[in-house]
Amino acid sequence: MRALARHDRLVTEVAGYRVLRAIGHGDRTRLVLGFAGDRTAVLKISGTDDERVRVELEALTRAAGDHVVTLEDVGLDEDEAVLVLERLRPGSLADLLERRAGLDAGEAVTILAPIAATLDRIHSVGVAHAALSLGSVCFRDDGAPTLVGFGRAALFAAGLPEVVLETVAGVLSDRSALRDLVALVLTRVTGPRADAARRLAAGLGDASPTSIAAALFDLAAASEIRFDADEESAVVPRLIGMIEPVEPEVARPAALPTWLVNLIPDSLRGNVEAVWARMHVIWAGWDQRRRRIVLGVAVGAVVLMIALTVVPGGSAAPVQANPAATPSASPPVSMPELPDDPLDAAPLLLDLRQRCIRDLSLLCLDDVDQQGSSGLGADRDLIQTIEAGGEYPGDGILAGNLTLIEELGDSVLIDLPDGSDPASILMMRTADGWRIRDYITKPPHAVVPGASSDG
């Protein structure tokens, strides 16, 4: 095998393919277009000492199937490794969005739903893409969206249950990137379903790939993708996407409201605009729960200021509180100092959880459950159900005689005593100490991490 250029000598053959032209390069790889017989292929060339080649090779082998770029062959010699990949049509999803001023809702469904389903599929076989972006979605000649760019892929045991998948860094990265990508594409939808697409983009939250795919099919029926450029945004397509992912665009900060601009002296306007832009970025990064809390505090402060302004100071006689008529307030719930041993920390967390539920305190749960976890969602739903008139469940979790079932990195699965509901808890070690991530009704007897047939 001869490389594209070795010792400054230009050659024309790689892994039995005649080199047509170079089409891309990265920090550790080069892409060339090769021709052999009656077909062309993309040749991804790297050094044989590059450990990432073996990971990428294994990832492509495990993930092989619909909507994943096909690994057609592998070439090795003493200096270089060559992955022979199927040739896709020119241009990535990033290029498509550059060429098109907007997409139909059906086109967005055709692009996004298969990618969401494919992520679920490759996670089930122990592969995380770990670099999902607009640039890592390309298209076959029939228009099928196809994942490329597995150079940063991560491998883990196949067949893991959902509660364990939620602790795998690559899986979490893929799911977060998918939500960002879906939201970005949906904001480009035009036509009758544009408003519905934007509502879906705004409400993704922590949605899983499966629920995202289902929501997309509810949005519109899939339709054929139009790849030709709009006249007002025509650009030259590029055959890129297998090396460096293209990051989604970041929304620009909103401009200052006109009424506020009119109140600000010119000498201070620059400083205020900088603060406003920073506030916009911070606000955009908060979830809906934190936004509601901040808005509630702000509204409360405004009401208090109005009350103090309307009621003249000293004009009213002090009112003596009637202890008999004043409901007794629960003592503030304080966060215990958690030990490092999860079996010692679990009883403290479970005890604090019960106090949070008895006091109907959503804020208290931040010291019990991991932020953004299904455990936090379940506890918040329970408190809101009780507030709406639902029955208090009692102390269903028994904290004695805990058993460590499984430990995987910073996560542990702990079995609770017989009679507890739920029967097990999944805990995560966070920067603030141990937190509960999920409550499991039945002990998991599915697949033990590391016990899969393909290792």
Side-chain angles (χ1 to χ4, degrees), residues 17 44 66 291 422-423:
Y17 285 79
K44 191 171 185 177
D66 292 342
R291 292 182 184 181

Side-chain angles (χ1 to χ4, degrees), residues 206 287 289-290 362-363 365-374 376 380 430 432 435-437:
D206 293 328
D287 57 23
R289 173 180 166 276
R290 180 174 293 185
L362 294 174
L363 289 177
L365 293 175
D366 289 345
D367 291 330
V368 176
D369 299 310
Q370 184 184 14
Q371 287 297 316
S373 68
S374 55
L376 178 59
R380 292 181 61 223
T430 72
D432 298 318
R435 293 292 187 270
I436 297 173
R437 181 173 182 83

